[in-house]
Amino acid sequence: MSRQFLVINHSSTLRKIVRTQIRANLNDAVVLEAEQADEALRMIRDRQCHMALFLWDQALPQGPELLQKLAELPEDQRVPTLVMTTDVRGETLDRFRQAGINEHLPFPCLSETLAETLNRICNPVSLRRDKRYAFSHANFLLEQRGHAFEGTLVNASLGGLLGEMPYSDNFNWSLPATASINLAVDGDSYIAPHLYCAVVQVSVIRRYPDFSPKMLRISFNFLQIPETSRQTLEQAFERAEAAQDPGTPPYVGKIAAN
């Protein structure tokens, strides 16, 4: 799942600097921009971003107004906010804290420092809506336009799957596909077919000697899940939870499906 960061400042040059820093260090980031306070508040209220980066300077138009309106947002509409500022005086930081903003960085700062701060405040794991599960024996089958593609399941949830499969010219990554998951828990098999899904991210994990792609790691979001398949997955996940032994590696996967 991509993290969406909202960069707020009246200067397109300053926004571009921060946008470039984020893109240089985070490969799952989508950078949105807002020039005016009203635009930023609308995007935050409409949940268009996971985190806001507020580039503060004394000449910032509508800066105090934006701070006040951020402080007045209902709890369920707020997002983590990082202030980047050239002014790190105590009274200025107190002003941010009064608006409910406790995170700040000097501006400019190193790209690595910014990336570490964003990962701490807006960790990808915290964005996952569904718990991921990995299984010792699991695979998936994709069907698209009369072609079938087999792969190994890395992990799955009710929201999507992460798998590895050989590269094929016949698979169109821009189109939806239908997936079927086959997995086993303690010797019992579970099959969940007809999972309508779309590609979220693709990466090449192995290449041929001529550097053409050989094996891909690909994540899908489920667009539709038949009720019977949902029940099958829920049963398999419950069995996986129950089968966990503190003395053995857990079933819960450490790689996000989406």
Side-chain angles (χ1 to χ4, degrees):
M1 179 179 183
S2 297
R3 288 177 288 175
Q4 301 193 74
F5 298 101
L6 174 63
V7 180
I8 308 166
N9 192 273
H10 66 289
S11 168
S12 60
T13 300
L14 295 181
R15 297 198 307 270
K16 181 178 180 180
I17 291 172
V18 175
R19 181 178 71 238
T20 301
Q21 286 184 303
I22 295 174
R23 289 178 173 174
N25 290 276
L26 303 178
N27 59 12
D28 66 335
V30 174
V31 182
L32 310 173
E33 299 182 35
E35 179 180 357
Q36 302 294 332
D38 289 344
E39 180 185 11
L41 285 166
R42 175 182 56 77
M43 297 175 74
I44 292 173
R45 284 196 300 264
D46 293 346
R47 302 181 183 277
Q48 296 181 26
C49 62
H50 296 114
M51 179 177 172
L53 289 81
F54 188 6
L55 311 185
W56 171 272
D57 62 68
Q58 292 296 330
L60 180 65
Q62 301 179 310
E65 175 189 356
L66 179 57
L67 281 180
Q68 181 63 33
K69 290 185 176 180
L70 285 173
E72 294 172 353
L73 282 176
E75 188 67 31
D76 62 350
Q77 291 184 2
R78 298 183 184 181
V79 297
T81 301
L82 170 68
V83 170
M84 301 183 69
T85 178
T86 58
D87 184 358
V88 294
R89 295 174 300 171
E91 56 266 33
T92 302
L93 299 183
D94 285 342
R95 191 176 191 179
F96 300 147
R97 282 190 283 268
Q98 291 172 6
I101 303 173
N102 297 311
E103 300 284 352
H104 73 277
L105 280 178
F107 183 79
C109 67
L110 295 175
S111 297
E112 293 80 3
T113 302
L114 175 59
E116 291 172 359
T117 303
L118 296 182
N119 281 330
R120 175 176 58 82
I121 299 173
C122 186
N123 191 291
V125 175
S126 66
L127 303 181
R128 300 176 188 169
R129 294 172 296 177
D130 301 293
K131 194 172 184 178
R132 281 30 171 182
Y133 297 87
F135 301 86
S136 299
H137 303 286
N139 54 60
F140 66 95
L141 176 70
L142 291 176
E143 295 179 275
Q144 184 190 70
R145 293 192 167 185
H147 297 284
F149 314 89
E150 294 184 1
T152 301
L153 186 71
V154 176
N155 66 43
S157 72
L158 292 178
L161 70 85
L162 176 69
E164 295 177 356
M165 59 180 283
Y167 173 83
S168 173
D169 288 331
N170 292 323
F171 191 81
N172 189 330
W173 311 106
S174 65
L175 297 178
T178 301
S180 176
I181 293 177
N182 189 335
L183 50 85
V185 183
D186 290 342
D188 292 332
S189 295
Y190 295 86
I191 300 176
H194 308 304
L195 306 169
Y196 193 54
C197 58
V199 174
V200 176
Q201 188 172 19
V202 180
S203 60
V204 179
I205 59 175
R206 286 199 293 279
R207 295 180 180 273
Y208 289 105
D210 65 354
F211 298 105
S212 60
K214 180 179 182 179
M215 184 67 67
L216 303 176
R217 175 164 288 197
I218 179 168
S219 61
F220 293 87
N221 273 345
F222 293 147
L223 304 177
Q224 294 178 2
I225 305 179
E227 186 58 31
T228 54
S229 292
R230 179 182 294 275
Q231 293 174 2
T232 298
L233 290 175
E234 289 176 344
Q235 292 171 4
F237 297 158
E238 289 176 3
R239 285 287 302 278
E241 291 275 11
Q244 287 187 32
D245 184 337
T248 61
Y251 282 96
V252 179
K254 295 183 179 181
I255 304 174
N258 51 25

